[in-house]
Amino acid sequence: MTTQERGPGDRPALSRCVPVDRAEFAADYWGRKPLFTRAAALPDDFSDLFSIDAVDELVSARAIRTPFVRMAKEGAVLPPSRFTGPGGFGAEVGDQLDSAKVLAEFADGATLVLQGLHRTWPPIAEFARRLAVELGHPAQVNAYITPASSRGFDPHYDVHDVFVLQIAGEKHWRIHEPVHVDPLRDQPWSDHRDAVAARAEEAPAIDETFRPGDALYLPRGWIHSAEALGGVSVHLTIGVAAYTRHDVVREAVARAADAAALRSSLPLGFDPADPEAVAPIIEETVEALIAALSDPSSRSAVADAVAGRLRRRQRSDTPPAPVRPLETIAAAADLTVDSVVAARQGLVPDVTVEVETVTVRLPTKTVALPIAARAAVERLLDGRPVALGELSLDERSAVVVARRLLREGILVPQPGWADTTYPDVDPADDAGVSSDGERSATADFGTATAT
């Protein structure tokens, strides 16, 4: 398991949310049924991720704006003007969170929702990124802060799977079986409002009071509602936008544009209001689509194309860990053979090998290095921190390779730089020329192309 697959404190992220191993969770629960877990059955609580103090800091000191916040009361979402206001001189915005307005609405029974915490709160950002790697599906995180004895939202279902982590206080949850199994992203619960309301009147499948450290996994489509009890309740909802077989079909159909039969025009005078005219066209088109996708000679190409499209979506849906620009520049300038670096979490570059080069490909750029650096590049990108002196390159080349990959945002510096110094690298070495004018093993190590 690489470092990108482990949660804070070297704990896999998924194991913090469920009491069963990955294989059992995948076989018995993922996309199938809920799993409620008491804190005692989990390895630790979630106080390292979030807290009541964190809520106050975000509201009072982080200049949060919409859409990173919303408020709701008795099932209705409040207009942003009720809890936001101008940012004041030097911040020409009109939708910054107003802490005094939040106080007033919260005291009056409104629920505060802090959205997109995987973008605004570092401990959650790291955890969500690692959970997404383990699951293979993108994740985002909201916090729900509910005053005592208040209800935030009516019974509803989500179009994504969720993990609920109770942070503070107590909340009573009622969970009912779906009325629409595995809804897609464009199939919201409001499409089945009456059926949802009727199902919510039946006996719940889960009827529990959540306490700090408790956790729930809930597949998309399961109906739920919650009410705070006795005091302020804070919980995290981790939304997992699972890729579906419908996504595979959509990407495969896009690839089918290579089939001439599917590019042909519909008949002259085509009337979509005439069922007798439409039916044979649909039948012919479906047969042509099946033929295009099942042709053994093109099946491999279709699979590669679909995988490529989904891979690009996954990269877009789960951005890599951020870099610290000033720290990285300083670290790149001070590299020695004792310096420790690691691959940037979540970047997942493609590495291709040609006769003379090893190329690191990202969505926006490529970085080409001489084939002599292949083993070093593979070690640098395998997810484990490494000291430059451990690479299979001479010392000077190792420094040049690492410097280039740091500056391109592919590597990040790690804590624990050694205090020992190493002779300064001549600027010419970045172009593959040693200080005495001879070509070195670092030739062209700095080649990068934006795409």
Side-chain angles (χ1 to χ4, degrees):
M1 180 176 288
T2 71
T3 55
Q4 293 188 40
E5 295 173 311
R6 305 192 69 83
D10 284 343
R11 292 165 294 185
L14 180 61
S15 72
R16 298 194 62 187
C17 304
V18 299
V20 298
D21 64 31
R22 179 191 179 101
E24 183 177 349
F25 178 75
D28 296 341
Y29 297 98
W30 173 249
R32 291 178 175 82
K33 61 183 180 181
L35 177 58
F36 173 67
T37 308
R38 290 292 181 194
L42 295 172
D44 206 349
D45 62 19
F46 310 111
S47 58
D48 59 317
L49 300 180
F50 206 58
S51 65
I52 286 180
D53 287 342
V55 174
D56 274 343
E57 179 175 339
L58 283 163
V59 170
S60 65
R62 294 297 185 98
I64 298 296
R65 299 175 59 192
T66 56
F68 286 97
V69 62
R70 58 180 170 143
M71 298 193 77
K73 183 178 179 183
E74 297 301 322
V77 177
L78 303 183
S81 60
R82 295 270 292 273
F83 52 88
T84 65
F89 179 71
E92 309 302 327
V93 297
D95 61 348
Q96 186 170 305
L97 198 60
D98 185 316
S99 57
K101 288 185 176 181
V102 171
L103 170 61
E105 296 294 347
F106 193 79
D108 196 40
T111 290
L112 172 67
V113 185
L114 296 172
Q115 303 190 140
L117 289 176
H118 60 295
R119 303 296 295 168
T120 61
W121 193 249
I124 289 178
E126 180 184 2
F127 180 78
R129 188 166 49 249
R130 288 172 171 172
L131 182 63
V133 170
E134 286 190 70
L135 297 176
H137 303 270
Q140 62 91 34
V141 185
N142 295 345
Y144 292 79
I145 303 94
T146 308
S149 304
S150 292
R151 174 175 60 89
F153 295 91
D154 287 333
H156 65 284
Y157 66 71
D158 294 322
V159 295
H160 49 262
D161 295 49
V162 299
F163 292 89
V164 176
L165 311 180
Q166 188 71 23
I167 302 297
E170 297 184 350
K171 204 161 194 178
H172 185 198
W173 283 72
R174 294 180 178 86
I175 297 167
H176 296 79
E177 294 187 359
V179 296
H180 184 61
V181 176
D182 289 339
L184 299 175
R185 298 186 195 185
D186 60 353
Q187 297 174 332
W189 74 274
S190 54
D191 290 350
H192 304 272
R193 188 183 300 273
D194 292 343
V196 167
R199 180 60 53 86
E201 295 296 323
E202 300 175 4
I206 294 178
D207 189 354
E208 295 283 359
T209 297
F210 288 33
R211 300 180 178 88
D214 292 349
L216 169 73
Y217 165 69
L218 194 66
R220 56 197 164 101
W222 283 73
I223 299 163
H224 54 279
S225 61
E227 181 179 355
L229 302 176
V232 173
S233 167
V234 179
H235 76 265
L236 299 177
T237 293
I238 304 171
V240 182
Y243 298 120
T244 68
R245 285 170 175 77
H246 182 264
D247 292 316
V248 173
V249 169
R250 185 168 55 188
E251 301 299 350
V253 169
R255 177 64 175 80
D258 286 349
L262 292 169
R263 298 198 305 270
S264 62
S265 302
L266 295 181
L268 189 67
F270 171 70
D271 181 5
D274 181 1
E276 293 185 359
V278 171
I281 291 174
I282 292 177
E283 183 176 349
E284 292 168 5
T285 301
V286 170
E287 291 177 354
L289 177 62
I290 292 173
L293 297 181
S294 62
D295 180 3
S297 63
S298 63
R299 187 174 299 172
S300 177
V302 170
D304 289 345
V306 170
R309 287 174 181 268
L310 290 176
R311 181 178 176 84
R312 288 191 292 274
R313 280 185 56 187
Q314 191 175 53
R315 281 174 166 173
S316 175
D317 289 339
T318 307
V323 296
R324 300 172 66 90
L326 303 188
E327 176 184 295
T328 301
I329 290 294
D334 294 337
L335 284 178
T336 75
V337 293
D338 296 314
S339 299
V340 179
V341 297
R344 181 179 170 194
Q345 289 186 0
L347 193 63
V348 195
D350 292 319
V351 179
T352 58
V353 177
E354 290 81 29
V355 175
E356 297 183 353
T357 61
V358 55
T359 301
V360 182
R361 300 183 185 278
L362 302 172
T364 58
K365 70 175 76 173
T366 62
V367 179
L369 305 170
I371 195 64
R374 175 181 178 178
V377 169
E378 290 174 347
R379 175 63 182 89
L380 286 165
L381 298 182
D382 72 6
R384 298 171 295 158
V386 59
L388 302 191
E390 300 173 18
L391 300 177
S392 56
L393 288 172
D394 63 85
E395 295 177 352
R396 189 174 296 272
S397 296
V399 168
V400 173
V401 169
R403 177 175 290 125
R404 171 50 57 189
L405 296 180
L406 279 167
R407 288 176 175 173
E408 296 292 346
I410 296 170
L411 297 180
V412 292
Q414 296 293 291
W417 302 94
D419 293 331
T420 56
T421 60
Y422 187 78
D424 289 340
V425 177
D426 189 282
D429 278 332
D430 276 336
V433 181
S434 64
S435 57
D436 60 5
E438 294 292 325
R439 300 281 299 177
S440 74
T442 61
D444 298 322
F445 275 13
T447 301
T449 304
T451 57

